[in-house]
Amino acid sequence: MLSLSGVGLMLGALFFAAALTPTLIPRSYLTQGVLAGACFAIGYLAGIVWRWLWHYLELPEPSARVRSSANALVAAGCLLVVIIYLRRAAEWQNSIRAVMNMTPVETAHPLKVCVIALTTFVVLLALARLFVLVAGFLAARKGRVIPRKIANVLGVLVAALLFWSIANNLLIRTAFRALDSSFREFDALLEPERPQPTAPGKTGSPASLVKWKQLGRAGREFVASGPTAAEISAVTGRPAQEPVRVYVGLGGGNSAQARARLALDELKRQHGFERSILIVITPTGTGWIDPAAMNAVEYLHHGDVASVAVQYSYLNSPLSLLFQPEYGAEAARALFSEIYGYWTRLPKDRRPKLYLHGLSLGAMNSEKSAELFETIGDPIAGALWSGPPFESRIWRTITANRNQGSPAWLPEFRDNRFVRFMNQNGPTVPAEAPWGALRVVYLQYASDPITLFAYRDAYQRPAWMAAPRGPDVSPELRWYPVVTMLQLALDMAVATSAPMGFGHVFAPEHYVDAWVAVTDVHDWSADALARLKDHLAAEARKASERSADDNPMPTAADRTIGARAG
């Protein structure tokens, strides 16, 4: 440790201090310590590169005495900054918790944060020095036959290739195989508390074309849950129908096309095309479908709703996106093609309104399911996409081209006739504003890092940080080069740990407002909608308390993304 760089320590301390400031999601002392240690390592690396560049350019250096005095002053200043920032860490975390209506913390555990950060830094430093040793060894071997500078470059390149190969082929692939096996076994579990349905009109029943065991865990949860006609009538005071829910798991076919055809046949068997509303759902990575979304629309339309989904993975959304990026889009495309192809052959006055829905990774893949040129002659009725990941192409294009003056966290697009954005407080557009033939609503929160993250946050202040900020964003949040991007990346990993109605956890009452707008609901009074929201919120709280662990590792694209995110 005596050989550590003074400039590197200075920059590392500044990065460490910046990492303690708030972003979008509250952090525990463990995540805060790992983040701060990683930021310290990156700052230290920047100092090493700076020192190397200074020497390489042969710039004049101060005397040893001046350098020693300067280093002492800088070290004292950095230590003071670190202490000040550590003292404010609890205050900053409470600034996030306050806007999310969470109880404040009394301490940010500064000692634990420092220990975890130091451990993280030492591990990363050891790996970096091992890389330097390997690169130096390889360069020395090649330097015997080729010029020294060329040998140095080749040494670094070969060492980088070697480290990447070990990490990718040994560590990552081994971890993936272990996770793949774990998720597969979890997906196949038959929960005793969720028995096979016996009603012929249910997917997975003895009369169904889809076997109960073929549904997968998420599919069984979807078809066996949801409100019954009696439960809907008890809330609405009006006659209701049994909602139709069709789901085909990975065991239902060897290809996306086969599963999509089976889903169509099962939907026809259950007379789903005779309902008023038909929703094609793209689930999250695990195959999970947010009950908050589907329960809301089924109540709003008195059960006169059919919904259909096909599973494309049993990995959670981040893993599915990393290792199987093409699967979700392929499955979403296959299902939409089958449903839309049959729907267009039905008489227009006797077919349901057709909608798309997806949450998180499901939203991104649902965007890819319908192509404009094939639907423009016979368009669908609309789509509700919630928590779209930052890589969602259509969402990103609309947000980038939003109307001047509208915030990036709740954009307005052109005349608002085709696309609208909503959050906890509803849309910025008046409810009576006219819609076009196609209605698309994005439901998103300003505190959702899965939606708002961008790689350019490393060098550019995000537009959503400009005033006015979202109602669920800490007023203490500031932008720091590199550090903010790393903070938001960590926020994505814990986005589903936020309270319901914040981060990447979508509340049923907010889905109510979104579905009212998308499906053009007019037969509910304001008081009746308020009672429905209260009922759904209470049911969601009960369900959360009953089965907080119902899905594996809910993540940022899944609470949904397992969201229970995918």
Side-chain angles (χ1 to χ4, degrees), residues 20 46 80 128 135 138 144 148 192 219 230 339 402 419 433 543 558:
L20 299 175
L80 181 62
L138 294 173
R144 300 171 184 173
R148 181 176 58 83
I339 301 299
R402 65 188 180 277
V419 179
D558 246 327

Side-chain angles (χ1 to χ4, degrees), residues 74 77 215 430 508 510:
V74 168
L215 285 173
H510 304 150

Side-chain angles (χ1 to χ4, degrees), residues 33-237:
V34 172
L35 173 66
C39 288
F40 190 101
I42 291 174
Y44 182 79
L45 175 63
I48 293 292
V49 171
W50 172 264
R51 186 178 65 176
W52 173 84
L53 183 61
W54 189 279
H55 288 310
Y56 183 81
L57 295 176
E58 299 181 354
L59 295 174
E61 295 190 23
S63 65
R65 181 178 179 181
V66 171
R67 189 165 60 248
S68 177
S69 300
N71 286 343
L73 290 173
V74 168
C78 288
L79 180 61
L80 181 62
V81 168
V82 167
I83 292 173
I84 292 173
Y85 274 56
L86 280 170
R87 286 175 60 88
R88 294 198 61 191
E91 173 190 340
W92 282 324
Q93 288 304 304
N94 286 333
S95 73
I96 311 175
R97 300 173 73 89
V99 296
M100 294 186 177
N101 302 317
M102 299 173 68
T103 56
V105 296
E106 295 181 1
T107 176
H109 304 283
L111 182 58
K112 293 181 180 179
V113 168
C114 288
V115 171
I116 295 170
L118 180 60
T119 303
T120 303
F121 171 69
V122 170
V123 170
L124 293 175
L125 179 64
L127 288 174
R129 290 193 167 181
L130 178 60
F131 176 85
V132 171
L133 287 174
V134 172
F137 173 77
L138 294 173
R141 296 289 297 271
K142 295 180 182 298
R144 300 171 184 173
V145 292
I146 59 177
R148 181 176 58 83
K149 290 190 176 182
I150 296 178
N152 289 339
V153 172
L154 289 177
V156 171
L157 292 177
V158 173
L161 181 62
L162 177 63
F163 271 64
W164 169 252
S165 178
I166 293 174
N168 186 56
N169 296 324
L170 179 60
L171 301 180
I172 295 179
R173 293 299 171 183
T174 300
F176 171 72
R177 284 192 293 269
L179 289 169
D180 181 69
S181 175
S182 175
F183 276 102
R184 188 190 307 114
E185 292 176 6
F186 188 86
D187 185 67
L189 287 177
L190 290 171
E191 310 87 334
E193 71 276 10
R194 188 170 290 124
Q196 179 181 7
T198 56
K202 292 287 188 179
T203 303
S205 69
S208 174
L209 301 177
V210 185
K211 306 304 179 186
W212 182 242
K213 290 185 178 180
Q214 295 176 337
L215 285 173
R217 183 182 177 92
R220 290 189 290 272
E221 178 185 358
F222 175 62
V223 302
S225 62
T228 63
E231 290 170 339
I232 294 173
S233 292
V235 174
T236 64

